[in-house]
Amino acid sequence: MKIIDLSMLLEEGMQTFAAHWHPFYESTQLGRHGIENRETRKIILGTHTGTHIDAPRHFIKGGSTVEQISLEQLNGKATLLNLTHLPKKHEISRNELVQALNNQCPERLVCRFDWDLQLNTNEYYTDHAFFSESACQWLVDNGCKLIALDTPQPDNPLNGRGAEKDAPNHKILLGAGVVIVEYLVNLSAIKTNVFTLIVAPLKLKDGDGAPARCFAIEEV
């Protein structure tokens, strides 16, 4: 058995979406060896800091929250889809996705772009590939329960707050109860197309999202 960590390191200075609704990560030491004789820390982070899940509540008013999502939905057999050949800013059409998956929609889909290589650049948020609305609807219609990405989102970066269409893919997926996992790293270390995915978000009451430790388990 081989375990592959797919999670970003939470540390001060890490890349965070630049908006007032996404706080920067902070860590402050409170307990100190030689004084209190134990070390403790206060941390400040957002529900979408680093590797995290989006619960439906993130974009769906009244949608389910993190603590209401079953562990069975988050964890289990997953299919890795290698999309590293796609150019920057490419929209993945429904036909492209169907063909890449041989018309077999997995319950958990992990999409590899190797986009974590763009972390700490301006392009990380502006130039990633993304899915068409029809591609996301195909996933919903064919039973996908979780989509995980090493990009910051499944939407066109132009479709943000204030755009004519604000995050339509988030709304299609989350509106159907499909969990989105974002900011994965190290997908290139996975050597099998099918593996066991573990997604362990913090159990936050009323959580619209939560930082998560994610890893892959390969049978060797």
Side-chain angles (χ1 to χ4, degrees):
M1 182 177 69
K2 182 179 180 182
I3 301 177
I4 302 164
D5 195 352
L6 309 177
S7 314
M8 288 180 65
L9 180 67
L10 295 172
E11 59 181 334
E12 291 190 342
M14 66 185 295
Q15 191 163 19
T16 304
F17 189 77
H20 69 269
W21 58 89
H22 288 292
F24 290 105
Y25 179 84
E26 297 179 35
S27 176
T28 304
Q29 186 173 344
L30 300 178
R32 298 153 293 180
H33 291 291
I35 302 175
E36 293 81 16
N37 293 322
R38 71 255 303 131
E39 186 168 316
T40 63
R41 291 179 179 272
K42 177 182 74 173
I43 59 174
I44 297 174
L45 72 169
T47 49
H48 301 265
T49 298
T51 304
H52 68 274
I53 73 166
D54 288 357
R57 180 68 62 85
H58 185 38
F59 273 96
I60 308 302
K61 186 176 181 179
S64 59
T65 50
V66 169
E67 80 280 14
Q68 297 170 332
I69 298 170
S70 72
L71 295 177
E72 288 78 13
Q73 179 176 355
L74 296 174
N75 300 281
K77 180 181 175 182
T79 296
L80 180 67
L81 183 59
N82 190 332
L83 298 169
T84 57
H85 60 284
L86 296 178
K88 294 179 179 180
K89 302 183 181 181
H90 180 78
E91 180 179 76
I92 302 165
S93 70
R94 176 187 181 277
N95 288 341
E96 281 181 295
L97 182 60
V98 171
Q99 184 175 13
L101 290 171
N102 295 316
N103 203 30
Q104 300 295 317
C105 181
E107 187 172 347
R108 298 174 197 84
L109 176 62
V110 179
C111 299
R112 173 189 167 191
F113 299 91
D114 285 351
W115 200 247
D116 51 323
L117 299 177
Q118 302 298 323
L119 275 165
N120 300 314
T121 70
N122 292 331
E123 290 74 24
Y124 181 73
Y125 286 111
T126 60
D127 289 8
H128 60 78
F130 56 92
F131 293 89
S132 67
E133 293 175 51
S134 60
C136 290
Q137 190 62 53
W138 182 82
L139 291 173
V140 167
D141 294 342
N142 286 276
C144 184
K145 299 299 181 185
L146 178 145
I147 181 170
L149 316 157
D150 61 4
T151 60
Q153 62 166 330
D155 270 291
N156 185 335
L158 297 178
N159 287 336
R161 185 170 181 265
E164 181 179 353
K165 284 190 173 184
D166 180 5
N169 291 339
H170 274 87
K171 292 172 182 175
I172 290 169
L173 295 166
L174 297 176
V178 179
V179 172
I180 305 171
V181 184
E182 299 168 332
Y183 292 67
L184 289 175
V185 298
N186 204 32
L187 291 180
S188 60
I190 302 174
K191 302 306 180 185
T192 56
N193 293 329
V194 177
F195 62 95
T196 298
L197 176 68
I198 302 298
V199 177
L202 295 175
K203 192 175 182 180
L204 302 179
K205 180 176 175 58
D206 299 329
D208 53 89
R213 189 69 181 264
C214 301
F215 50 95
I217 301 176
E218 289 183 333
E219 298 300 327
V220 294

